[in-house]
């Protein structure tokens, strides 16, 4: 019985990761169909806009000169995270959501790197001049934050 419950929960992680991946890819396809890289769409002028940017590096354009290495490291990290996700003895809703977000976000950017050789970014907070990012990056950030929160709740 316990084994079936663990398999069901782990399957939910994969299903949710796939949902995040599909949503990420749909948004990226829409942005690429609607915008040219030089034509941002201001949603809140001076604060937030959609700006099509292609990023050949990782966060903040790290490893931009080594795309094959970056892809290899990204895929390796994805499988390491997947391994640890499936090794968990106790699965709760916070864990399930956290791992699904990180895995789905990672897959979204991996799909871009494999299919385009670069990642499609578009979320642009011009008010704070933050680097342009995407939904997959947001999933990864929120998922990691949830994993930290879960770990802190477990330890304290």
């Amino acid at each position: 019985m316990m084994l079936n419950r663990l398999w069901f929960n782990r399957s939910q992680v994969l299903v949710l990761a796939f949902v995040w991946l599909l949503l990420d890819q749909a948004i990226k396809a829409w942005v690429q169909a609607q915008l040219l890289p030089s034509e941002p769409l201001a949603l809140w002028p001076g604060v937030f806009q959609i700006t099509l940017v292609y990023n050949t590096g990782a966060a903040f354009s790290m490893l931009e000169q080594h795309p094959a290495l970056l892809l290899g490291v990204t895929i390796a990290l994805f499988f390491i995270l997947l391994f640890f996700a499936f090794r968990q003895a106790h699965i709760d809703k916070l864990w399930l959501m956290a791992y699904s977000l990180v895995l789905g976000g990672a897959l979204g950017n991996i799909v871009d790197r494999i299919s385009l050789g670069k990642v499609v970014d578009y979320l642009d907070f011009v008010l704070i001049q933050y680097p342009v990012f995407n939904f997959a990056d947001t999933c990864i950030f929120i998922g990691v934050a949830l994993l930290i929160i879960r770990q802190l709740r477990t330890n304290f």
Side-chain angles (χ1 to χ4, degrees), residues 1-146:
M1 182 66 168
M2 180 65 165
L3 184 60
N4 286 340
R5 181 167 168 72
L6 284 174
W7 175 249
F8 178 72
N9 286 339
R10 290 178 177 139
S11 298
Q12 287 177 314
V13 169
L14 295 177
V15 168
L16 276 173
F18 189 67
V19 168
W20 304 134
L21 167 66
L22 290 177
L23 188 54
D24 172 69
Q25 292 298 300
I27 295 168
K28 288 174 179 172
W30 180 85
V31 168
Q32 290 179 94
Q34 299 300 316
L35 299 176
L36 296 173
S38 61
E39 298 178 2
L41 172 63
L43 298 179
W44 186 358
V47 177
F48 178 75
Q49 62 190 21
I50 304 296
T51 304
L52 177 58
V53 174
Y54 293 101
N55 185 357
T56 56
F60 308 106
S61 298
M62 292 187 303
L63 293 176
E64 191 171 35
Q65 303 303 320
H66 307 284
L69 174 64
L70 180 58
L71 178 61
V73 168
T74 305
I75 291 172
L77 288 173
F78 171 81
F79 281 109
I80 289 168
L81 182 64
L82 187 63
F83 172 77
F84 281 112
F86 275 68
R87 280 192 66 217
Q88 294 292 323
H90 176 68
I91 299 172
D92 58 31
K93 288 180 181 161
L94 188 59
W95 178 95
L96 183 121
M97 186 57 69
Y99 273 103
S100 73
L101 283 163
V102 175
L103 291 169
L107 275 176
N109 286 338
I110 288 170
V111 166
D112 284 5
R113 288 191 194 290
I114 290 172
S115 64
L116 303 171
K118 53 196 168 201
V119 173
V120 177
D121 288 331
Y122 50 86
L123 299 172
D124 187 3
F125 284 95
V126 292
L127 179 68
I128 58 174
Q129 297 180 353
Y130 192 78
V132 180
F133 59 101
N134 61 40
F135 178 76
D137 299 333
T138 305
C139 287
I140 294 167
F141 178 83
I142 292 170
V144 168
L146 290 175

